Amino acid sequence: MTNPMRGVFAVPTTPYTEDGAQNLDALSRRIDEVVAAGVTGILGLGATGEALALTPAERDAQIKTIVSAVDSRAHIVIGCMAYTPTEMSAQISQAADRGADAVMVTPPFYGGLEPDAVIAALHPVLAGAEVPVMVYNNPHSTGTDLLPDHLAALADTGRLWSVKETSGAATRIRELRDRLGQDIEIFVGADGIALEGFAQGASGWVAASAWLLPEHCQRLWALADAGEWAGAVELWTRLGSALGLIEGNAAFISLIKQALGHRGHEQGPVRPPLPTADSESLTELMTAIAALEEER
């Protein structure tokens, strides 16, 4: 399946008000700013967005807010992460009905399923999906590493739009590209190895860091996509420090939220049981961002 959706997809956090409710106005304002920075799309209700901490009503409200705020200026992908195939399919239908361009699914989390069992569960989900599907390979969270041959078994559904690859394996992007060909998009999902993924033929980048630093992330992709590798390496040398601090912190969602708040985009706390980043981590990240922006 050929699909033009490629480039940088920013992954939103979920802002909360002081009383703990979703702050959809803050979400909408930030979407407007990030889309204006030139990203290809928004991937809502991912892990960075605390999707598993939201009620069904909150989830629906957030999808509607994303679609309204984007206003056809960028592609919209909605995370549909659930344990059962039935619930995944229900979430996909909801996202399609609300106007999403595509969805993202993961292997069923908790249980350590073997890859073949995951593919058996996902195949009917993709076959019945109303919109194109991104499969998120995140073995650190799901306990299952989907290799290129496993993912290739989903191609015959006609709905495998892309793979978000976050295993961290050094040559995985190239291996996926070799096995899946050019019609299925391959996205880097680990911010700390974005440039390496681009060099191996990635179609783009699904980036939590692009919610915080959209201009820099979009610029890095644009340089790499144009084959301007010297400029890409120079920018990556500066950007990589900040991204490494985010990706290397177990409380990275809180860290992104606090950094946004420090820059005037109040996000509120994370919901339990997610950890809260300490003040030293925030100071270190803000120092790295200041150095990055001074060197423009």
Side-chain angles (χ1 to χ4, degrees):
M1 179 181 65
T2 301
N3 197 298
M5 292 189 288
R6 59 194 303 274
V8 175
F9 282 76
V11 184
T13 54
T14 294
Y16 299 117
T17 61
E18 290 184 2
D19 64 3
Q22 285 194 102
N23 188 340
L24 296 176
D25 288 340
L27 176 62
S28 183
R29 288 192 298 272
R30 186 58 182 164
I31 287 173
D32 189 60
E33 294 162 351
V34 171
V35 170
V39 301
T40 295
I42 299 292
L43 194 155
L45 295 174
T48 300
E50 302 177 65
L52 299 179
L54 300 177
T55 67
E58 288 174 325
R59 175 185 176 84
D60 191 49
Q62 185 166 147
I63 295 172
K64 289 190 285 187
T65 296
I66 292 170
V67 172
S68 175
V70 169
D71 193 24
S72 302
R73 295 174 295 163
H75 293 296
I76 297 170
V77 182
I78 297 296
C80 297
M81 300 180 292
Y83 185 70
T84 68
T86 300
E87 178 60 23
M88 282 186 210
S89 293
Q91 291 187 7
I92 290 170
S93 295
Q94 176 194 43
D97 287 345
R98 293 301 188 196
D101 297 301
V103 296
M104 180 185 75
V105 300
T106 67
F109 36 83
Y110 187 75
L113 296 179
E114 291 297 320
D116 288 344
V118 169
I119 297 305
L122 291 182
H123 196 279
V125 172
L126 269 69
E130 297 89 340
V131 291
V133 180
M134 168 185 284
V135 175
Y136 182 11
N137 184 44
N138 185 4
H140 309 293
S141 296
T142 66
T144 306
D145 189 9
L146 298 177
L147 301 177
D149 282 344
H150 302 133
L151 291 159
L154 297 172
D156 66 354
T157 64
R159 281 302 193 186
L160 180 60
W161 154 50
S162 64
V163 175
K164 177 185 175 185
E165 168 52 40
T166 316
S167 71
T171 59
R172 185 67 61 84
I173 297 290
R174 176 181 57 76
E175 293 163 0
L176 285 165
R177 178 59 72 208
D178 288 347
R179 182 66 179 86
L180 299 180
Q182 296 299 317
D183 287 343
I184 295 172
E185 309 292 4
I186 313 297
F187 287 86
V188 181
D191 288 359
I193 56 172
L195 187 61
E196 290 83 349
F198 299 162
Q200 292 181 42
S203 310
W205 184 10
V206 176
S209 55
W211 189 241
L212 176 61
L213 298 167
E215 295 89 352
H216 295 87
C217 293
Q218 175 60 29
R219 178 62 176 160
L220 180 68
W221 163 251
L223 288 167
D225 191 43
E228 297 179 19
W229 293 107
V233 170
E234 188 277 329
L235 175 56
W236 182 243
T237 300
R238 297 184 288 112
L239 179 60
S241 176
L243 268 54
L245 292 172
I246 295 169
E247 188 164 70
N249 195 311
F252 75 95
I253 300 172
S254 170
L255 186 58
I256 291 171
K257 282 186 155 187
Q258 290 187 51
L260 282 165
H262 197 274
R263 291 163 70 86
H265 310 288
E266 189 55 48
Q267 298 286 295
V270 292
R271 284 183 174 174
L274 289 176
T276 297
D278 57 45
S279 59
E280 291 80 6
S281 296
L282 177 61
T283 298
E284 191 175 9
L285 176 58
M286 297 314 299
T287 299
I289 291 173
L292 169 67
E293 294 181 333
E294 285 173 2
E295 297 174 6
R296 280 183 177 177

